């Protein structure tokens, strides 16, 4: 069914992409900010230096803004499987539901309850106990990623199930958790989240250092950010490499598309840095290649050829002939995947380099960072780069699975709600777009203002804008 | 129907009940921002009464949704896709009010505070109203086809019964919120909350009578399950009477507990009437039954073990968080801090 030239399925897919991409600006940022805030407060507990308490409070404010937007856009995620993908929910419910419910019970309650406690109890508990609250928030938000990725990993690589009664049924809960895909996907996402917030925080600090404001405060913040960013980026890239090994085996089409390979390569295979891809003629031009590199990246040795999309398409047509017929096309959007992969992986390498440079030039013995304005500008731009890299990562993961919603078992076309009309989807798409624009702009505006006001403005108001202690019953009285 | 299926139907009902008990007063406080507060300072005080808790309270809805997906995927799929537009606006309301807490605290100008205060009020008004509409439609029965999909016209969603249901739930939440304000605040705001509750309780009783009448007329609850339906209905009225008594006699805790129990009673009434179905079809043959909507026994078993371990822990720290915020702190400790 087409309305205004767009099919119902495309509208539903666009909406899912829009809501998840927007949600995932705030998820990794919040997870990582919780960790950074917890680290800062822990340093305060250990060293008793007031500045670290100030840092925890200050960055905690920006964390709370992001957390709020993350929570409200997260509710959409849980509801939209039923709302927009009802046949998917029927097919996957027996498997997807349990991790989702556990996520709520184990993670959402923990982070939501303790974030409320943390916000309002700075002077009511011993510093070490108070720091424990933000660690519980960090654990809660990190654990939530584990459970939701358990479901996503099943969709990438179904395990521990049987097909019965027209749906996928769980045959072993432990098997679901033992999915090898999960144990590369989860670390990749969680380290990516730490890296995201680390560079966002370092970037914000760099902008303030350029303005020469609150130097000690932002210098110390920057260094916490860069240390977490360096370790996080190395781990993210490392686990990403392991993930690639798995994708080559399990989802060869996805891999071939990220490398822009139509025809099988020679052995050893050269790695294409950039190329121009024509998806119609399958021609690739303007190639810049590094010899042997693809064999090295793919198999960790200097020989071995990589299958091209044309071969894989034929293989998949044979493999799924009884399900989808022999003339089904399994090509995924090659240009999107090719460039997404380069932006994502390139960012990862860039982060490691920038973090190392930043840490070196800001070291305690010889701190010359303040004079290196070029580096501060580069760090300032790194505030935005992780969000682009994360989005690219999800484009590869989700678009690269086409035509499947659950790999090899269930197609995207079969998954969409049959009774939601294109008109309703136009309405929800437009309104989501409007409110996301509003939320994103407000969030950036308030974060920017908090940043400009600086840590010295902290004491001017409490959580909800008045200056009474919210904890005492007497605080609400007028007498 | 197996024991596990029965247990999870009960648990879904319980999750929604607890959600309405807890988030109900959050909605009520949100609405009362425009009813009993006279300036932004007072609005700030009202919001502080729920500040540390609203987020945790909302997780009960998320858990109910997740548990429904897990234990009754066919129910979740039919309900959520069938009520697409209603749920979309519920989400919209929840988004608006969810961010308004944080955004309002960051707003400096009076206009900014008012803007996000309005967002909180409108969101807190629309969410319970639309939830009431949806649950009323759910028990009234919808045009379900044989594969469990609803394709209704506007009148199937918005009709006298569902509007009355929506208004009743909204009013119950508002009263519950006013009762919480009486519990948490003192001075003028408390007095105004009590004065408003005194006016609204008589309105509520009229609303309850109309709602019960429509329930009798529009559903088969009192035919199919007369004893339990009548019992719960009488309990709901009784709870409201006790809450009203507490309102007139300055018994704040009593009012609060019983306005919460009233909300739980309404959920119980609807779930009791729904049983053994999960979706009521206009054509009875298409109604979806518990036994057909469920996950496998294995999955339900896994979920049961998880719930048995985790729910007590969640309850323990949730209650603890309420306890620590209920304590008076000495005035000298008051600092402008966050």
């Amino acid at each position: 069914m087409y309305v205004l030239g767009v099919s119902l399925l495309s509208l539903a897919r666009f909406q899912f992409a829009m809501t998840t991409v927007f949600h995932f600006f705030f998820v990794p940022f919040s997870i990582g900010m919780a960790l950074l805030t917890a680290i800062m407060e822990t340093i305060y507990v250990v060293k008793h230096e007031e500045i670290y308490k100030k840092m925890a409070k200050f960055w905690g404010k920006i964390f709370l803004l992001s957390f709020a937007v993350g929570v409200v856009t997260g509710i959409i995620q849980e509801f939209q499987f039923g709302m927009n993908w009802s046949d998917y929910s029927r097919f996957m419910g027996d498997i997807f539901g349990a991790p989702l419910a556990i996520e709520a019970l184990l993670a959402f309650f923990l982070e939501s309850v303790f974030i409320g406690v943390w916000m309002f109890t700075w002077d009511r508990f011993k510093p070490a106990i108070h720091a424990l609250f933000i660690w519980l928030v960090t654990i809660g938000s990190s654990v939530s990623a584990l459970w939701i990725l358990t479901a996503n990993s099943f969709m990438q690589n179904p395990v521990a199930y049987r097909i019965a009664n027209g749906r996928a049924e769980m045959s072993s809960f432990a098997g679901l958790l033992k999915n090898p895909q999960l144990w590369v996907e989860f670390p990749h996402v969680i380290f990516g989240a730490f890296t995201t917030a680390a560079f966002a925080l370092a970037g914000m600090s760099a902008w303030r250092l350029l303005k020469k404001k609150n130097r000690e405060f932002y210098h110390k913040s920057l260094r916490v950010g860069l240390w977490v960013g360096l370790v996080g980026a190395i781990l993210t890239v490392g686990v990403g490499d392991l993930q690639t090994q798995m994708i080559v085996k399990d989802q060869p089409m996805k891999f071939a598309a990220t490398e822009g390979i139509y025809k099988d390569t020679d052995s050893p295979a050269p790695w294409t840095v950039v190329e121009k891809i024509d998806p119609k003629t399958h021609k690739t031009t303007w190639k810049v290649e590094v010899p042997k590199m693809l064999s090295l990246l793919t198999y960790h040795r200097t020989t071995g050829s990589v299958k091209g999309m044309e071969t894989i398409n034929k293989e998949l047509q044979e493999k799924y002939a009884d399900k989808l017929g022999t003339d089904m096309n399994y090509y995924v959007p090659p240009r999107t995947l090719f460039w997404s992969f380069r932006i994502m992986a390139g960012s990862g390498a860039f982060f490691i380099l920038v973090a190392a440079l930043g840490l070196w030039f800001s070291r305690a013995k010889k701190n010359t960072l303040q004079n290196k304005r070029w580096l501060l500008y580069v760090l300032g731009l790194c505030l935005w780069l992780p969000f682009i890299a994360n989005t690219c990562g999800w484009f590869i993961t989700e678009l690269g699975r086409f035509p499947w919603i659950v790999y090899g078992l269930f197609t995207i076309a079969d998954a969409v709600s049959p009774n939601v009309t294109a008109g309703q989807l136009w309405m929800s798409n437009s309104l989501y777009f409007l409110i996301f624009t509003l939320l994103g702009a407000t969030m950036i505006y308030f974060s920017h203002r908090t940043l400009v006001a600086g840590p010295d403005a902290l004491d001017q108001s409490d959580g909800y804008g008045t200056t009474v202690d919210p904890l005492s019953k007497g605080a609400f009285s007028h007498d | 129907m197996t024991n596990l299926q029965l247990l999870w139907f009960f648990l879904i009902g319980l999750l929604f009940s607890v959600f309405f008990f807890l988030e109900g007063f959050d909605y009520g406080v949100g609405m009362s921002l425009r009813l009993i507060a006279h300036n932004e300072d007072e609005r700030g005080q009202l919001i502080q009464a729920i500040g540390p808790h609203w987020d945790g309270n909302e997780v009960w809805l998320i858990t109910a949704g997740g548990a429904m997906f897990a234990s009754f995927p066919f129910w979740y799929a039919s309900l959520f896709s069938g009520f697409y537009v209603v749920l979309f606006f519920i989400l919209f309301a929840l988004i608006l009010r969810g961010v308004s807490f944080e955004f309002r605290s960051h707003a400096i100008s009076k206009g900014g505070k008012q803007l996000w205060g309005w967002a909180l009020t409108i969101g807190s008004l629309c969410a319970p109203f639309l939830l009431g509409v949806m649950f009323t439609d759910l028990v009234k029965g919808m045009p379900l086809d044989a594969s469990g999909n609803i394709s209704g016209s506007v009148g199937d969603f918005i009709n006298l019964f569902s509007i009355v249901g929506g208004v009743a739930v909204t009013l119950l939440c508002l009263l519950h919120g006013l009762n919480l304000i009486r519990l948490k605040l003192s001075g003028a705001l408390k007095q105004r909350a009590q004065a408003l509750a005194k006016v609204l309780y008589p309105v509520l009783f009229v609303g309850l009578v109309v709602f019960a009448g429509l329930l009798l007329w529009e559903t088969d609850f009192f035919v199919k399950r007369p004893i339990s339906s009548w019992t719960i209905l009488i309990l709901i009225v009784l709870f409201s009477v006790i809450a009203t008594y507490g309102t007139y006699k300055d018994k704040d805790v009593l009012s609060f507990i019983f306005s919460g129990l009233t909300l739980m009673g309404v959920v119980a009434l609807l779930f009791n009437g729904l049983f053994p179905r999960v979706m009521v079809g206009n054509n009875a043959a298409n109604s979806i039954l518990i036994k057909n909507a469920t996950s496998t026994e294995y999955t339900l078993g896994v979920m049961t073990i998880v719930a048995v371990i985790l729910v007590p822990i969640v309850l323990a720290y949730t209650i603890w968080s309420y306890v620590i915020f209920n304590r008076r702190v000495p005035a000298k400790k008051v600092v402008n801090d966050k």
Side-chain angles (χ1 to χ4, degrees):
Chain A
M1 191 167 88
Y2 284 81
V3 171
L4 301 178
V6 186
S7 75
L8 196 143
L9 184 61
S10 300
L11 283 167
R13 290 182 74 193
F14 183 82
Q15 182 167 306
F16 191 85
M18 174 170 62
T19 52
T20 42
V21 165
F22 187 74
H23 179 57
F24 207 78
F25 289 148
F26 301 96
V27 171
F29 184 62
S30 302
I31 292 176
M33 282 302 275
L35 176 76
L36 287 159
T37 311
I39 289 174
M40 288 167 181
E41 203 176 337
T42 307
I43 299 178
Y44 163 66
V45 171
V46 175
K47 287 183 155 183
H48 305 289
E49 287 176 33
E50 277 298 313
I51 192 164
Y52 284 100
K53 181 179 181 187
K54 217 173 193 182
M55 278 160 65
K57 278 192 179 186
F58 178 77
W59 296 110
K61 266 184 108 164
I62 290 176
F63 159 55
L64 288 172
L65 269 172
S66 153
F67 187 80
V69 184
V71 166
V72 297
T73 51
I75 312 173
I76 301 174
Q77 309 309 318
E78 192 199 60
F79 281 24
Q80 71 178 342
F81 295 113
M83 289 169 70
N84 291 98
W85 305 95
S86 60
D87 279 344
Y88 163 82
S89 303
R90 291 181 176 107
F91 180 80
M92 264 289 277
D94 197 58
I95 286 157
F96 197 141
L100 193 67
I102 297 171
E103 184 186 18
L105 273 177
L106 198 63
F108 292 158
F109 274 117
L110 194 67
E111 56 178 359
S112 305
V113 169
F114 281 97
I115 207 165
V117 173
W118 181 78
M119 277 167 85
F120 292 104
T121 58
W122 275 96
D123 295 283
R124 298 192 56 202
F125 291 94
K126 283 184 192 150
I129 306 281
H130 191 262
L132 177 69
F133 299 151
I134 190 73
W135 277 110
L136 288 172
V137 175
T138 309
I139 293 168
S141 54
S142 301
V143 166
S144 79
L146 173 70
W147 291 103
I148 198 64
L149 292 176
T150 303
N152 186 268
S153 295
F154 183 90
M155 292 161 71
Q156 304 293 342
N157 180 39
V159 291
Y161 70 97
R162 64 178 162 269
I163 298 292
N165 309 312
R167 63 176 175 178
E169 296 186 342
M170 198 196 302
S171 60
S172 156
F173 182 66
L176 208 59
L177 283 172
K178 282 187 206 148
N179 190 346
Q181 170 71 23
L182 175 64
W183 296 104
V184 289
E185 194 171 328
F186 170 64
H188 189 63
V189 168
I190 203 79
F191 294 136
F194 297 158
T195 312
T196 300
F199 276 93
L201 186 143
M204 286 186 267
S205 304
W207 286 119
R208 295 317 289 164
L209 286 173
L210 277 168
K211 298 266 181 201
K212 306 191 168 121
K213 293 279 162 56
N214 300 89
R215 277 197 201 172
E216 195 202 353
F217 181 87
Y218 287 116
H219 174 81
K220 283 194 152 61
S221 301
L222 182 95
R223 282 188 61 87
V224 173
L226 289 182
W227 272 117
V228 174
L230 180 68
V231 176
I234 291 171
L235 289 170
T236 311
V237 172
V239 180
D241 176 58
L242 297 178
Q243 211 172 353
T244 306
Q245 318 294 313
M246 210 168 278
I247 292 170
V248 178
K249 278 189 289 142
D250 299 337
Q251 298 186 24
M253 183 62 93
K254 184 186 276 180
F255 179 74
T258 59
E259 295 303 339
I261 303 164
Y262 277 104
K263 313 256 188 255
D264 299 356
T265 68
D266 305 330
S267 171
W271 182 59
T272 312
V273 187
V274 288
E275 68 178 8
K276 188 171 180 293
I277 302 169
D278 187 340
K280 283 205 183 100
T281 60
H282 293 189
K283 285 230 166 64
T284 52
T285 45
W286 299 97
K287 276 189 187 188
V288 179
E289 289 181 333
V290 183
K292 293 190 184 177
M293 192 66 186
L294 187 58
S295 304
L296 207 63
L297 288 172
T298 315
Y299 308 112
H300 292 177
R301 51 186 160 81
T302 51
T303 53
S305 75
V306 173
K307 265 186 213 163
M309 285 186 268
E310 288 177 0
T311 316
I312 297 165
N313 193 43
K314 281 202 194 89
E315 287 179 2
L316 291 175
Q317 279 173 340
E318 266 172 50
K319 188 172 177 188
Y320 297 114
D322 52 338
K323 260 199 177 107
L324 304 177
T326 48
D327 49 0
M328 177 76 196
N329 255 328
Y330 294 87
Y331 289 107
V332 296
R335 282 179 299 200
T336 313
L337 264 70
F338 180 82
W339 288 109
S340 292
F341 183 76
R342 265 138 200 81
I343 295 170
M344 179 189 74
S347 304
F350 186 65
F351 287 146
I352 296 173
L353 179 73
V354 171
L357 282 175
L359 285 169
W360 174 252
F361 287 122
S362 65
R363 65 193 186 277
K365 269 187 189 166
K366 195 176 172 216
N367 174 15
T368 55
L369 186 67
Q370 192 67 57
N371 307 325
K372 297 204 167 36
R373 294 183 69 81
W374 63 271
L375 185 56
L376 286 175
Y377 274 113
V378 170
L379 280 166
L381 290 176
C382 283
L383 159 56
W384 304 105
L385 195 54
F387 299 96
I388 299 169
N390 290 333
T391 306
C392 287
W394 281 114
F395 277 172
I396 300 165
T397 309
E398 301 299 290
L399 287 173
R401 194 177 38 192
F402 183 84
W404 307 105
I405 195 163
V406 183
Y407 198 85
L409 298 181
F410 205 65
T411 64
I412 301 170
D414 288 333
V416 74
S417 297
N419 51 337
V420 174
T421 65
Q424 291 169 343
L425 280 164
W426 270 109
M427 177 206 69
S428 51
N429 263 300
S430 323
L431 288 176
Y432 275 141
F433 186 80
L434 277 179
I435 199 160
F436 288 169
T437 311
L438 175 76
L439 293 188
T442 313
M443 149 86 195
I444 291 170
Y445 172 73
F446 281 139
S447 301
H448 180 253
R449 207 170 61 186
T450 306
L451 196 65
V452 170
D456 299 327
L458 271 180
D459 295 339
Q460 282 169 12
S461 81
D462 66 18
Y464 293 116
T466 44
T467 48
V468 286
D469 188 319
L471 315 167
S472 71
K473 200 174 171 181
F476 302 111
S477 75
H478 280 241
D479 37 59
Chain B
M1 197 185 317
T2 67
N3 289 336
L4 280 179
Q5 290 168 357
L6 186 64
L7 173 72
W8 276 95
F9 180 76
F10 172 78
L11 285 178
I12 304 284
L14 188 65
L15 285 167
F16 274 109
S17 310
V18 177
F19 160 71
F20 274 107
F21 189 107
L22 294 173
E23 184 93 327
F25 65 70
D26 290 341
Y27 294 145
V29 172
M31 284 182 255
S32 60
L33 245 53
R34 285 282 144 192
L35 296 174
I36 62 168
H38 290 168
N39 54 50
E40 288 306 314
D41 262 1
E42 289 187 348
R43 287 186 193 111
Q45 290 173 42
L46 289 177
I47 293 171
Q48 280 184 339
I50 52 172
H53 304 299
W54 74 268
D55 190 9
N57 293 346
E58 195 162 279
V59 176
W60 287 93
L61 176 66
I62 297 171
T63 308
M68 192 192 262
F69 191 1
S71 50
F72 299 101
F74 292 87
W75 185 11
Y76 169 78
S78 289
L79 180 71
F80 279 58
S81 66
F83 285 88
Y84 186 80
V85 176
V86 179
L87 276 161
F88 173 77
F89 284 105
I90 290 175
L91 283 172
F92 213 79
L94 292 179
I95 291 170
L96 268 183
R97 72 179 287 281
V99 293
S100 67
F101 289 90
E102 200 55 36
F103 285 179
R104 188 183 177 281
S105 81
H106 275 263
I108 296 169
S109 67
K110 193 175 171 226
K113 286 217 180 294
Q114 278 181 335
L115 174 74
W116 294 111
W118 270 109
L120 176 55
T121 304
I122 291 171
S124 303
L125 175 72
C126 293
F129 175 76
L130 291 171
L131 282 166
V133 166
M134 186 178 82
F135 277 108
T136 313
D137 282 333
L138 173 69
V139 297
K140 172 181 65 75
M142 294 298 285
L144 271 172
D145 66 19
S147 39
N149 291 314
I150 293 174
S151 24
S153 60
V154 177
D156 291 312
F157 295 96
I158 304 291
N159 46 66
L160 179 69
F161 187 30
S162 70
I163 289 173
V164 170
V167 171
V169 172
T170 312
L171 203 53
L172 283 167
C173 289
L174 175 57
L175 281 161
H176 195 35
L178 292 172
N179 292 341
L180 178 91
I181 293 167
R182 290 166 51 202
L183 202 63
K184 281 280 217 177
L185 290 116
S186 45
L189 281 170
K190 180 183 171 172
Q191 283 163 13
R192 278 179 238 146
Q194 191 166 5
L196 183 60
K198 280 181 186 170
V199 177
L200 286 179
Y201 264 113
V203 181
L204 177 74
F205 284 106
V206 177
L208 281 181
V209 169
V210 176
F211 183 70
L214 284 165
L215 207 61
L216 259 168
W217 178 256
E218 295 262 3
T219 69
D220 52 13
F221 284 18
F222 297 90
V223 183
K224 285 203 168 161
R225 315 181 61 78
I227 298 170
S228 53
S229 294
W230 279 112
T231 312
I232 300 172
L233 187 64
I234 290 165
L235 278 174
I236 290 172
V237 174
L238 190 68
F239 292 160
S240 284
V241 169
I242 298 174
T244 314
Y245 167 80
T247 305
Y248 280 88
K249 296 283 175 188
D250 297 325
K251 296 188 190 309
D252 303 338
V253 181
L254 193 74
S255 291
F256 174 71
I257 290 172
F258 279 90
S259 57
L261 287 178
T262 313
L263 273 165
M264 293 181 88
V266 172
V267 177
L269 181 67
L270 299 186
F271 271 71
N272 175 66
L274 211 50
F275 185 85
R277 303 160 291 191
V278 288
M279 296 286 285
V280 183
N282 285 346
N283 174 357
N286 288 341
S287 289
I288 304 175
L289 304 179
I290 290 175
K291 62 178 179 183
N292 298 331
T294 176
S295 285
T296 55
E297 281 290 291
Y298 178 76
T299 293
L300 292 180
V302 170
M303 301 261 304
T304 307
I305 295 167
V306 169
V308 165
I309 297 169
L310 291 179
V311 171
I313 300 174
V314 169
L315 280 175
Y317 65 69
T318 302
I319 292 169
W320 169 81
S321 83
Y322 276 90
V323 169
I324 61 161
F325 285 111
N326 207 21
R327 205 175 64 184
R328 277 175 190 275
V329 282
K332 67 175 161 59
K333 271 202 152 182
V334 173
V335 277
N336 309 333
D337 225 349
K338 179 185 169 185

